[in-house]
Amino acid sequence: MGSPTESESMDTESISTQGESIDSPKIAKISVWDLPDVPQGKLPPHLELQRTRVMCDFLAPTNTQNIQYSGAYASMGVDNSVQFEQFRNNFKVEVVRLDDDELEFDMIGIDPSLANAFRRILIAEVPTVAIEKVLIANNTSIIQDEVLAHRLGLIPIKVDPRLFEYMSENDVPNEKNTIVFKLHAHCEKGGDRLRVLSSELKWLPNGSEFILGTESQASNSSAKPKTYTSFSCSQDSLPEFSNGPIAPRDADIIIAKLGPGQEIELEAHAVKGMGKTHAKWSPVATAWYRMLPEVVLLRDIEDDEAEELVKKCPVKVFDIEDIGKGKKRATVARPRACTLCRECIREEGWDKNVAVRRVKDHFIFTIESTGALPPEVLFTEAVKILEEKCERVITELS
């Protein structure tokens, strides 16, 4: 091609001049070698927030994942691996509330997988004693035998399961693996309907009183008739049961209602078991946890805005304090009560005023016992079971 003409050169110069006016002022270019060094041994605040907090936006929570990779922050000189010494120094258990059937405590400095392991062990692997076999001699009520047996199995028995042994299919029922109750209720003809309560279950420390059907009446009459259990001694003679009789945890549970002329006569045999076999052996009504809420005011919210913020929260997380000269300011009074409803940030613009977060390694744990064992005992038993599991894994690996 030939050289450009004079008019073409002028056009090119004109375009170049226009380009310079559009791009001005010019952005200074900085060499990568002149950038400031990344701080070593400490994460920047925004990364530390993502690592330790769940951010609850008005649409959905974010940063919910746990960063498990040990080298995730290696470029910043931060070791993200799990270290035993660090865990031992940071882990804490703080009891918040304790009564007969409920325990609330904080587990601090722990991974969600361990918190969930405790929950699953409490529900499925801490043993209790529950009615497993029901021998029905007479049942003329409207409740079928199977339903009656199921209702009896769900009645909590107040007895320490650690005093008993597990019973396998080949074991003979004895004083170390079986507890026997009897129930005999009769509603007289012409009388009012009768409520059969759990208090009607009477403990038989000497074992079953029902004679085996295979036992011949014509056999040696001087011998003691054979029953469904083989107790070598009375259970009430054992020192562990000398303080009081074995009985249902609650005496007012309705088992059945009898009409005039109806009758129930049975024996109930209780054995030791775990919740993963059947829910009747689960020692807890529920065991659950949630991450500690963290509510932060990003700026001072005063006067009318403070009143509006207090009205937004249905569980009264926020309160108002007087700062003098007729002014009022919103404060976070009860962050633990936050249910993550996000009403305080749902309206447009309020997410710039309030931040709702969850602490990833701080769990509020609640145990509701059925009453068979105190909740504080359930937690210590769950710790022992988890310890046994860890020892078993270490043994297998070594």
Side-chain angles (χ1 to χ4, degrees):
M1 296 178 62
S3 59
T5 61
E6 184 178 355
S7 60
E8 289 175 340
S9 299
M10 291 176 62
D11 291 341
T12 303
E13 183 179 355
S14 173
I15 293 172
S16 177
T17 304
Q18 291 177 2
E20 289 178 1
S21 63
I22 292 174
D23 293 339
S24 60
K26 291 185 178 181
I27 299 174
K29 294 181 179 179
I30 302 175
S31 171
V32 67
W33 305 110
D34 296 330
L35 290 173
D37 292 335
V38 177
Q40 295 294 308
K42 185 178 179 181
L43 290 178
H46 69 285
L47 287 181
E48 183 65 22
L49 200 64
Q50 291 178 9
R51 189 180 71 86
T52 60
R53 300 291 188 270
V54 175
M55 311 301 293
C56 303
D57 299 333
F58 67 93
L59 290 177
T62 57
N63 301 325
T64 56
Q65 72 281 359
N66 274 348
I67 301 173
Q68 302 286 357
Y69 175 47
S70 60
Y73 307 112
S75 61
M76 301 179 188
V78 176
D79 185 7
N80 196 49
S81 61
V82 179
Q83 298 182 13
F84 176 72
E85 287 297 327
Q86 184 179 1
F87 170 78
R88 188 172 66 176
N89 294 333
N90 294 338
F91 178 65
K92 291 187 293 184
V93 176
E94 298 178 354
V95 177
V96 177
R97 177 169 48 88
L98 173 63
D99 54 36
D100 292 342
D101 295 327
E102 191 169 342
L103 169 65
E104 181 181 326
F105 60 93
D106 288 3
M107 298 180 72
I108 306 169
I110 197 170
D111 191 82
S113 59
L114 285 176
N116 194 48
F118 281 118
R119 183 190 66 85
R120 291 174 64 91
I121 290 172
L122 283 164
I123 292 173
E125 297 189 51
V126 175
T128 60
V129 174
I131 293 172
E132 168 68 0
K133 184 184 293 184
V134 180
L135 307 177
I136 298 177
N138 188 18
N139 178 22
T140 57
S141 70
I142 62 172
I143 300 179
Q144 298 92 334
D145 292 352
E146 295 82 1
V147 177
L148 181 60
H150 181 70
R151 291 178 66 83
L152 289 168
L154 294 176
I155 296 175
I157 307 298
K158 190 170 180 61
V159 63
D160 192 343
R162 295 170 292 186
L163 303 175
F164 289 87
E165 301 172 354
Y166 287 102
M167 180 177 173
S168 66
E169 294 180 358
N170 300 323
D171 289 339
V172 177
N174 57 52
E175 70 277 4
K176 295 182 179 180
N177 59 25
T178 304
I179 302 172
V180 182
F181 298 94
K182 72 173 181 180
L183 171 63
H184 191 186
H186 176 69
C187 183
E188 298 292 337
K189 291 184 178 180
D192 295 332
R193 292 177 62 86
L194 176 67
R195 293 195 308 170
V196 182
L197 303 178
S198 54
S199 58
E200 297 289 329
L201 285 168
K202 304 302 180 183
W203 176 40
L204 298 178
N206 293 312
S208 175
E209 295 179 349
F210 283 180
I211 299 174
L212 276 172
T214 56
E215 190 77 5
S216 174
Q217 296 293 333
S219 61
N220 187 3
S221 58
S222 62
K224 184 179 178 181
K226 195 173 183 180
T227 63
Y228 284 87
T229 58
S230 299
F231 281 24
S232 60
C233 66
S234 176
Q235 287 179 329
D236 58 4
S237 65
L238 301 175
E240 51 264 30
F241 303 120
S242 59
N243 294 332
I246 301 173
R249 166 64 172 78
D250 300 295
D252 57 352
I253 300 175
I254 298 177
I255 298 174
K257 290 184 178 180
L258 300 181
Q262 294 180 347
E263 183 180 8
I264 293 177
E265 184 180 3
L266 57 82
E267 266 189 7
H269 294 199
V271 298
K272 183 177 179 179
M274 290 189 289
K276 62 183 179 182
T277 304
H278 193 283
K280 66 186 177 184
W281 279 299
S282 180
V284 295
T286 183
W288 59 281
Y289 61 85
R290 61 190 178 103
M291 287 184 284
L292 178 72
E294 185 180 72
V295 183
V296 180
L297 299 180
L298 303 179
R299 66 175 183 86
D300 287 343
I301 300 176
E302 300 177 351
D303 300 331
D304 293 341
E305 281 188 330
E307 296 279 359
E308 183 182 356
L309 179 61
V310 171
K311 291 179 181 178
K312 284 177 180 290
C313 183
V315 292
K316 308 302 180 185
V317 169
F318 303 99
D319 206 347
I320 292 178
E321 66 175 359
D322 189 358
I323 57 176
K325 297 182 180 180
K327 284 186 169 292
K328 296 176 290 185
R329 182 172 60 192
T331 61
V332 182
R334 292 169 289 275
R336 193 183 181 91
C338 179
T339 60
L340 198 60
C341 67
R342 290 171 285 180
E343 286 297 326
C344 57
I345 59 174
R346 203 174 298 278
E347 191 175 337
E348 185 177 357
W350 274 94
D351 56 341
K352 303 294 189 297
N353 302 333
V354 182
V356 182
R357 306 165 184 162
R358 297 282 191 180
V359 184
K360 290 184 179 180
D361 65 345
H362 189 145
F363 298 93
I364 302 173
F365 214 108
T366 305
I367 300 174
E368 295 182 15
S369 171
T370 59
L373 286 173
E376 65 272 19
V377 174
L378 293 178
F379 178 69
T380 56
E381 289 300 307
V383 172
K384 292 177 184 177
I385 292 173
L386 183 60
E387 183 181 3
E388 290 173 2
K389 287 175 176 285
C390 294
E391 289 177 352
R392 194 157 54 243
V393 170
I394 292 171
T395 301
E396 291 295 330
L397 292 176
S398 58

